[in-house]
Amino acid sequence: MKYFTKSHEWVSVEGNNATVGITQHARKQLGDIVYLELPSPKTTLRAGDVFGVIESVKAVSDLYAPVSGTVTGSNEELVSAPEQMSDGSQENPWLIKLTLSNTGELGGLLSAENYEKYLEEEVK
Amino acid sequence: MIGRQNFDFEEQLIFEHGSKGRSGVDLPECAESQAAAIKVLGKHLRTEEDQAQLAECSEPEVNRHYTRLSRWNFSIDTNSYPLGSCTMKYNPRINEWAARLPGFAQLHPYLPESRLENAKALIEELRAYLGEIGGFEAVSLQPAAGAQGEFTGMLMIRKALEARGESRHKVLVPASAHGTNPATAAFLGYRAVTVATGSDGLIDMEDFEAKLDEDCAAIMITNPNTLGLFEKNISEVCEKVHAVGGFVYGDGANLNALMGISRPGDWGIDVMHFNLHKTFTTPHGGGGPGGGAVGVCKELAPFLPDSGEQSIGRVRSFWGNFGMMIRAYAYIREMGAGGLKKASERAVLNANYIKAKLKKAFDLPYETDCLHEVVFSDWKQQKHGVSTMDMAKGLIDRGVHPPTIYFPLIVHGALMIEPTETESKEELDALCEAFLEVAKEGPERLRLSPFHTALSRLDEAGAARNPILVFKKE
C-alpha cells in the first residue's frame, strides 16, 4: 500500500518495511535538485521528525518522516547524483527505507485518492 | 524602458590579462634578505611549479579591468532595486560627507581615549536614538551586521536563562519569519520549531499556543513579517511567551515600516537587532560593511557585549563598524523624528501603490493591507508555463533588479517587492510597467531571457552541482 502526507512525502509499505520518497508534485515544485542529505542506517525517527534536507536552485527544504521507525538504508546513488531525482534515470526515486515501529500511524496518512484531492484544493 | 544596460561586453578574469613577469610596481632589490629567507625556508621554499598562480599585470591593466567590471554593477545609484525584505533604499550623499570628515575618517581605535571624545559622543547619541526609535532600555552597536545581531541577542537570552539556573531547548519561529532566524536558533544549540501561518498571513495563534511551553527559550519574530503584514497579535504573543518564562526576540529587518509609528519595545519585544544598512541608509553588502546594533529591555541589559561582569563578552573588535555609525547618525539627524516617521509612511504607501497596480496581473495570496512590502505568487503565470524565475530574468532586461523570489516559502513562486520610500511616483510607475510586461509575456521568449546582458540565462543547477571555484591556467 502507498500512503501520502500533506508535506508531499509518500511511504510505500510491505509488512513492517517501508520505503519513503517525495511525490512527483513536490519534485516538480522544487525544480532542479542540487543537494540531498539523508540519515545513516540505524537512525530512529518519530513521525514528523526531520530526516533529511533537500536543496534545489529555489530553496532548501526539510524532509519529514511520515511514520516512525528505524532507518535501514538510504538511496546513496541519489545523494551522489541528485539530478537523478528529476531527470528520469531512476524510475521511482526513493529516499530511505525504514522498519516501522508503529503501523497504527498509517491510518493517519492520506490515500492516493485523498492526496490528489488535497493537491487540487491546494492549487486552487 | 527596454534597452541595453552596461552589461553588454565580456570581460576576462584578471588571471587572463597581463603576462609573465609583468608588474605595476618596482620594488628595490633585497638580495641579502632574500638569500637569508631562502636559507631559513630550506626545503620548504616553493619551486617554480608549485608557486601560487597570481595575476601579473601592469597598473593600467588592473585599473581598466576593475573599472570595466564596475560598469557591470547594478546598484541603487543607477536603477530601481525592489529586493523584498532587504530595504534597498537610497544612501544619501550627506552620509558620505559626514563619514569623510577628517576628524572621523582619520581616527584609529588605538588613539588615546582623550582623542576619541567626539567619536564616543556620537556612539552614545546614536545608542540613545536607536533606543528611542525601538523602545529599548539599552543598545549595543558592536554587532557587524544583522546575522551577528541575531547571534548576539540570542546569546544574551541564553545567558539570562542560565543566570536563572534554567536550561531550555526550543525556539519558536513563525513560518513567515526571516530565514536567518531558525539558523540562529540552531547555531546556538536550540531546536527551531516552526509555528504555522494562518489563512490571514499572520501567526496561527492556535498552533503557537500548542507549541508554547516551559521548554521554550524564546520566540523569534519578524514584524512586519515577510509577507509585509503586521502581526497584530504581537502583544498577546509577547505576554504569553513571558508567562512561561521565555523571551521574545524581534528581528528588526523590517523596521523601515514602523519608525515613529510603533515601537517594538512597547509591544513587549525583549531584544531586537537593527539593520543600519537597511533602515538607516548605510550601504549594503558589497558596499558594506553592515551594522547590526542590538536593543534590549531592562532585564537583558546586564548581558550586553559592552556591559559589566554579566556580559556575554565582546562580539566584535574595537567599537564595531564605526563608519556605518556615522552614516546612520547623519541620516537620523538629517531626517529628525518627523522625517523618519514620514519615511516609514511613504515606504508603506509605495508598497501599497505597487500592490494596487499589480494585483490584477498577479495572484495576491493575502489580501490584507500590506506595510512596506507586498508578496505575489506566480499561480496566474504558471498556467501558461511561466515561472517566477522566468519573470525575474525578464525584469533584468527591463532595467529592474528582480524582487526577492521564492521567499517566503509559504507562498508559491513568491515575488516579494519592497520599493522603499526613496522611489518617486514616476519610478514606481516605470517599475510597475516592467512587472506588467513580464506578467503577460509568453513563455517562449521569457524562458530564454535575459537578452540584454553580457551573459544570457545561466545554468544555475549546473553551477550549484559542479562549481568551479579555482581558476586554472590551461
Side-chain angles (χ1 to χ4, degrees), chain B residues 35-321:
Chain B
I38 288 170
K39 208 171 153 191
V40 170
L41 288 170
K43 65 180 167 61
H44 299 293
L45 181 70
R46 293 221 156 171
T47 60
E48 191 83 0
E49 288 84 58
D50 66 4
Q51 266 173 15
Q53 301 292 306
L54 300 178
E56 297 182 273
C57 300
S58 69
E59 183 175 318
E61 279 172 329
V62 172
N63 190 5
R64 285 177 187 163
H65 170 71
Y66 287 106
T67 305
R68 283 195 297 261
L69 281 184
S70 75
R71 292 177 54 193
W72 286 14
N73 279 349
F74 190 102
S75 73
I76 193 67
D77 284 342
T78 54
N79 299 70
S80 287
Y81 211 136
L83 195 60
S85 265
C86 293
T87 314
M88 303 301 287
K89 58 163 126 175
Y90 180 71
N91 309 143
R93 284 301 166 267
I94 196 166
N95 295 357
E96 299 308 312
W97 165 81
R100 282 168 178 73
L101 288 172
F104 289 134
Q106 291 174 15
L107 285 179
H108 189 281
Y110 279 146
L111 280 172
E113 292 244 355
S114 61
R115 302 288 297 278
L116 295 170
E117 291 302 328
N118 286 344
K120 281 168 69 183
L122 183 142
I123 287 173
E124 284 313 314
E125 267 184 71
L126 181 58
R127 287 166 95 155
Y129 293 153
L130 293 179
E132 190 179 331
I133 292 166
F136 294 105
E137 174 82 12
V139 173
S140 168
L141 297 175
Q142 267 189 28
Q148 200 185 18
E150 281 184 41
F151 173 73
T152 305
M154 289 302 291
L155 208 56
M156 285 190 271
I157 288 174
R158 199 173 71 178
K159 187 112 194 223
L161 289 168
E162 279 168 15
R164 283 193 212 154
E166 287 181 20
S167 151
R168 298 183 176 217
H169 302 95
K170 65 181 191 186
V171 168
L172 303 184
V173 184
S176 59
H178 273 133
T180 47
N181 296 168
T184 301
F187 194 70
L188 281 155
Y190 290 111
R191 192 159 55 88
V193 178
T194 306
V195 177
T197 297
S199 57
D200 54 359
L202 306 178
I203 293 173
D204 181 331
M205 292 300 281
E206 216 171 289
D207 194 47
F208 159 69
E209 285 182 47
K211 284 167 180 169
L212 179 68
D213 56 29
E214 294 190 348
D215 198 30
C216 282
I219 184 167
M220 296 183 80
I221 296 187
T222 308
N223 192 23
N225 64 28
T226 55
L227 294 165
L229 306 179
F230 188 79
E231 295 285 359
K232 60 181 181 194
N233 297 319
I234 186 73
S235 296
E236 189 188 336
V237 168
C238 293
E239 264 170 45
K240 291 202 159 128
V241 173
H242 291 154
V244 298
F247 289 92
V248 183
Y249 183 91
D251 183 316
N254 292 341
L255 185 66
N256 205 41
L258 302 171
M259 288 185 294
I261 297 163
S262 189
R263 305 198 310 169
D266 297 340
W267 312 331
I269 301 278
D270 297 300
V271 47
M272 183 187 88
H273 77 267
F274 299 81
N275 294 89
L276 299 187
H277 51 284
K278 293 182 181 178
T279 321
F280 299 99
T281 66
T282 75
H284 270 69
V294 169
V296 291
C297 64
K298 204 166 188 177
E299 189 186 347
L300 290 176
F303 304 101
L304 280 171
D306 26 24
S307 66
E309 60 184 53
Q310 280 188 291
S311 164
I312 56 161
R314 189 168 273 289
V315 296
R316 176 75 170 79
S317 55
F318 301 118
W319 303 82
N321 289 331

Side-chain angles (χ1 to χ4, degrees), chain A residues 29 32-34 57-61 64 82-83 86 122-124, chain B residues 191 194 379 382 387 389 405-406 409 412 459-462 464-465:
Chain A
Q29 292 302 317
D32 291 320
I33 308 297
V34 296
V57 288
K58 293 180 193 167
V60 182
S61 310
Y64 297 97
E83 60 271 24
S86 40
E122 199 193 32
V123 169
K124 208 167 41 181
Chain B
R191 192 159 55 88
T194 306
W379 280 126
Q382 199 188 248
S387 71
M389 184 65 83
I405 56 171
Y406 296 110
L409 300 175
H412 189 276
D459 177 3
E460 298 184 23
R465 285 175 191 147

Side-chain angles (χ1 to χ4, degrees), chain B residues 314-390:
Chain B
R314 189 168 273 289
V315 296
R316 176 75 170 79
S317 55
F318 301 118
W319 303 82
N321 289 331
F322 182 62
M324 297 307 111
M325 297 174 204
I326 304 166
R327 290 170 173 87
Y329 176 90
Y331 176 68
I332 292 171
R333 289 301 301 267
E334 190 203 17
M335 298 294 278
L340 291 178
K341 185 175 180 203
K342 206 170 201 176
S344 284
E345 287 170 352
R346 286 216 180 141
V348 172
L349 180 64
N350 281 359
N352 279 286
Y353 182 71
I354 288 180
K355 180 184 157 199
K357 284 200 88 154
L358 299 185
K359 72 177 181 189
K360 276 203 187 114
F362 294 94
D363 170 64
L364 184 67
Y366 299 96
E367 288 280 350
T368 327
D369 283 340
C370 63
L371 291 189
H372 65 302
E373 62 194 3
V374 56
V375 181
F376 294 102
S377 89
D378 67 352
W379 280 126
K380 284 190 180 170
Q381 285 69 31
Q382 199 188 248
K383 284 183 192 137
H384 53 264
V386 167
S387 71
T388 285
M389 184 65 83
D390 296 329

